[in-house]
Amino acid sequence: MRFDTIILGAGAAGMMCAAHCGGRTLVIDHARAPGEKIRISGGGRCNFTNMFAEPANFLSQNPHFCKSALARYTQWDFIDLVNRHDIAWHEKTLGQLFCDGSSKQVVAMLVAELERTGAELWLHTALKDLHKTESGFALEVEREGQRQALTCRALVLATGGKSIPKMGATGLAYDIARQFALPITETRPALVPFTFSDGRFKPLSGVSIPARLSNARTSFDEALLFTHRGLSGPSVLQLSSYWREGEEITVNLIPDLPLLDTLRDQRQNSGRKALSTELARHLPARLVEALKSDLPLDGNLADQPDAKLETLCTALANWRLTPSGTEGYRTAEVTLGGIDTDALSSKTMEAKSVPGLYIIGEAVDVTGWLGGYNFQWAWSSGYAAGTAIAARTPAP
């Protein structure tokens, strides 16, 4: 069977690309349903983009690579598409946009868009063989127990990275990249919780607090969540993309709280109150209880000299921890690193050394922050490849 374009992967990037390729396009995926990571994202409501998306929100060995695609298909373009499909949405925090209803609406929208252009979608289809030909690519797939031979002029890798293997992630794009001698940067789990092997935070599991998490390179002010394994929450997930094994992190438990002034005032007004009781007005009581073993929290406020209060506040603002590791790809929301951008055109996403091969989405060494940025990269890179393919596809 001959196609103009075959897209491997029916996720966010793959379906967006299919909606813009033109010609005879086929999307194949080994999953039983399209857009599974879309479906589970955002607590089932899909954080589909971010109002503040810009190149500074993305990590890559070449920080300039993402600029072209992001400029040509912006968050406002995707919002316009969502609006045209009458999908109600809202801004949650920090520019994060979610569906009012279900993330399945975004999946249905993308399927409708690719079907509108005449693209076909084959699910539960496994790639068995792939090689380059003079005119494009030859593939062998297995579908419904039958093997089929396919050919295409353009081939798009949209199979994602290694994150969340229970959703079917396999790293297939990296295997194909190696087959065609394309370089791959180091890949790591990103947007992932930290773990601590000593189990120190088990008693605090479920406690959440606004915090500032930092390392030597960056910091993030968002919620921190204690878990039975370690630390999670938005601030932790954000910092994990910038963290390396063995590195110390700093947790500020009072980033926007003038705690020293508050304790001094309360010492004047309620000196008989226990220091730990007053502290529990500003921090979760379970956290205060846990900190008693490490910090001087005994006595009443009236008994605390300024120097002791200053030491306490400094400790709360500079809690130094060294994670044992992360929860890995099992819970990572995205893969950091991937197919080296030096091997790709930033305008078309085509491999420079393999004409007709395009690579988009998470498979590429472009990784967004938490908060809708990785979906925006999927939309932008999918659009860039799709429109480039359409420009080269002969009219029927």
Side-chain angles (χ1 to χ4, degrees), residues 244-265:
R244 292 296 181 270
E245 284 75 7
E247 184 179 26
E248 186 179 70
I249 65 172
T250 301
V251 180
N252 184 344
L253 296 170
I254 51 171
D256 299 311
L257 178 64
L259 184 61
L260 180 58
D261 291 339
T262 300
L263 293 178
R264 283 170 171 166
D265 291 342

Side-chain angles (χ1 to χ4, degrees), residues 14 57 170 240 366 393:
N57 305 120
T170 62
S240 70
V366 175
T393 301

Side-chain angles (χ1 to χ4, degrees), residues 341-357:
T341 58
D342 285 348
L344 308 177
S345 163
S346 62
K347 292 184 179 180
T348 66
M349 309 303 295
E350 185 177 18
K352 296 174 182 176
S353 62
V354 189
L357 178 64

Side-chain angles (χ1 to χ4, degrees), residues 205-280:
S205 182
V207 172
S208 180
I209 183 175
R212 176 177 300 137
L213 263 71
S214 310
N215 64 4
R217 292 173 293 285
T218 190
S219 67
F220 291 95
D221 284 42
E222 290 190 67
L224 165 67
L225 174 68
F226 294 93
T227 74
H228 68 288
R229 294 177 180 270
L231 301 178
S232 188
S235 61
V236 170
L237 301 187
Q238 295 281 36
L239 191 65
S240 70
S241 296
Y242 296 84
W243 179 81
R244 292 296 181 270
E245 284 75 7
E247 184 179 26
E248 186 179 70
I249 65 172
T250 301
V251 180
N252 184 344
L253 296 170
I254 51 171
D256 299 311
L257 178 64
L259 184 61
L260 180 58
D261 291 339
T262 300
L263 293 178
R264 283 170 171 166
D265 291 342
Q266 287 299 100
R267 184 177 59 188
Q268 292 293 113
N269 301 326
S270 306
R272 290 185 174 183
K273 185 180 292 184
L275 173 59
S276 59
T277 301
E278 175 60 26
L279 198 59

Side-chain angles (χ1 to χ4, degrees), residues 74 76 90 179 190 252-253 276 303 374:
T74 70
W76 310 113
H90 63 278
Q179 177 182 340
N252 184 344
L253 296 170
S276 59
D303 302 325
N374 287 293

Side-chain angles (χ1 to χ4, degrees), residues 49-55 57 75-76 91 93-96 373:
T49 192
N50 194 291
M51 293 176 67
F52 305 123
E54 58 181 25
N57 305 120
Q75 59 268 42
W76 310 113
E91 179 186 359
T93 58
L94 303 174
Q96 301 171 33
Y373 298 100

Side-chain angles (χ1 to χ4, degrees), residues 365-385:
D365 175 28
V366 175
T367 306
W369 287 5
L370 182 74
Y373 298 100
N374 287 293
F375 274 132
Q376 185 56 48
W377 172 244
W379 317 137
S380 297
S381 60
Y383 175 86

